[in-house]
């Protein structure tokens, strides 16, 4: 529990800020950040790619749509909680049926940008362009592998799995750092998706 105190304090502080200011109305990504930090601070939420994707080497349990999440489903749900209809956009994406026969509620790291394009209001940058000027709420992505949300101060909130530096296990809930705050740097990001307004 101690390891999550930083995320919890940040989540509580930001939820007060969001509740008492017009900031979130200007940038809905603040609501996404706060929601994701609240999930990270709650050990009932861990990492899973869903029991339907379990293998002998990766014996996932439960669902990737809550209470456990994988990297992309955490971002999809955070955006949806902020009023950004990315789940609806994903369900209109041809890959929704082609890849998953319409059975996976949220997309993957490589489908986030096409789905954000359908919604509008986001600009795509290369990591090299903006790595020294990241903004809270930026979505950091390596489309073939991983995605996270930048929370400021050089950190992300993300679902990182059981093989993260803080530990974890293949069961529902967080037994380590499965969903937590991590350094944003040295991670191989290639793209950044920033809310720039409609």
């Amino acid at each position: 529990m101690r390891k999550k105190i930083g995320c919890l304090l940040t989540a509580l502080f930001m939820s007060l800020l969001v509740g008492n200011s017009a900031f979130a109305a200007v940038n809905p990504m603040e609501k996404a950040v706060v929601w994701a930090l609240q999930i990270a601070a709650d050990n009932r939420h861990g990492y899973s790619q869903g029991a339907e994707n379990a293998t002998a080497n990766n014996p996932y349990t439960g669902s990737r749509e809550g209470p456990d999440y994988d990297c992309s489903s955490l971002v999809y749900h955070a955006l949806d909680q902020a009023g950004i209809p990315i789940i609806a956009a994903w369900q209109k994406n041809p890959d929704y049926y082609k890849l998953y026969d319409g059975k996976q509620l949220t997309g993957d790291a490589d489908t986030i940008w096409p789905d954000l394009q359908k919604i509008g209001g986001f600009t795509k940058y290369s990591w090299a362009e903006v790595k020294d000027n990241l903004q809270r709420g930026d979505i950091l992505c390596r489309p073939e592998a991983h995605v996270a949300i930048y929370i400021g101060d050089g950190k992300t909130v993300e679902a990182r799995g059981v093989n993260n530096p803080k530990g974890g296990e293949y069961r529902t809930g967080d037994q380590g750092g499965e969903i937590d705050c991590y350094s944003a740097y040295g991670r191989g990001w290639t793209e950044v998706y920033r809310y720039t307004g409609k």
Side-chain angles (χ1 to χ4, degrees):
M1 180 70 169
R2 225 183 300 158
K3 64 185 175 259
K4 295 221 175 198
I5 289 177
C7 271
L8 180 59
L9 290 176
T10 302
L12 290 173
F13 173 75
M14 292 314 301
S15 63
L16 290 173
L17 177 67
V18 169
N20 295 321
S21 76
F23 182 71
V26 174
N27 186 348
M29 287 305 295
E30 184 57 33
K31 285 184 179 178
V33 168
V34 170
W35 182 86
L37 285 169
Q38 289 170 338
I39 293 298
D42 184 342
N43 284 336
R44 292 175 296 175
H45 303 282
Y47 184 90
S48 180
Q49 290 186 1
E52 66 277 9
N53 296 313
T55 65
N57 291 333
N58 297 297
Y60 299 115
T61 61
S63 170
R64 67 186 289 271
E65 309 299 346
D68 294 339
Y69 301 91
D70 67 8
C71 66
S72 57
S73 67
L74 181 72
V75 173
Y76 270 83
H77 282 280
L79 292 169
D80 205 59
Q81 290 289 321
I84 299 168
I86 192 167
I87 293 175
W90 159 247
Q91 291 174 346
K92 293 176 185 166
N93 185 327
D95 285 341
Y96 176 62
Y97 289 99
K98 185 171 76 177
L99 297 175
Y100 301 106
D101 197 28
K103 294 178 183 168
Q104 185 169 297
L105 180 65
T106 56
D108 296 318
D110 62 346
T111 62
I112 286 177
W113 178 244
D115 292 338
L116 288 174
Q117 286 180 292
K118 290 177 193 155
I119 297 165
F122 285 82
T123 301
K124 176 178 164 181
Y125 298 95
S126 73
W127 172 254
E129 285 178 275
V130 296
K131 68 179 179 176
D132 296 325
N133 188 29
L134 293 174
Q135 296 178 12
R136 186 175 171 90
D138 283 351
I139 300 169
L140 312 183
C141 195
R142 188 168 16 113
E144 70 282 0
H146 194 54
V147 64
I149 301 173
Y150 185 71
I151 62 170
D153 295 324
K155 299 217 176 284
T156 61
V157 60
E158 60 189 280
R160 195 156 169 187
V162 299
N163 296 318
N164 68 75
K166 300 176 185 179
E169 295 177 22
Y170 289 103
R171 56 188 168 110
T172 298
D174 196 338
Q175 290 79 47
E178 296 173 27
I179 301 177
D180 213 335
C181 301
Y182 290 95
S183 173
Y185 295 95
R187 305 285 303 285
W189 306 117
T190 57
E191 300 175 356
V192 176
Y193 315 137
R194 179 172 293 165
Y195 182 78
T196 51
K198 288 191 175 189

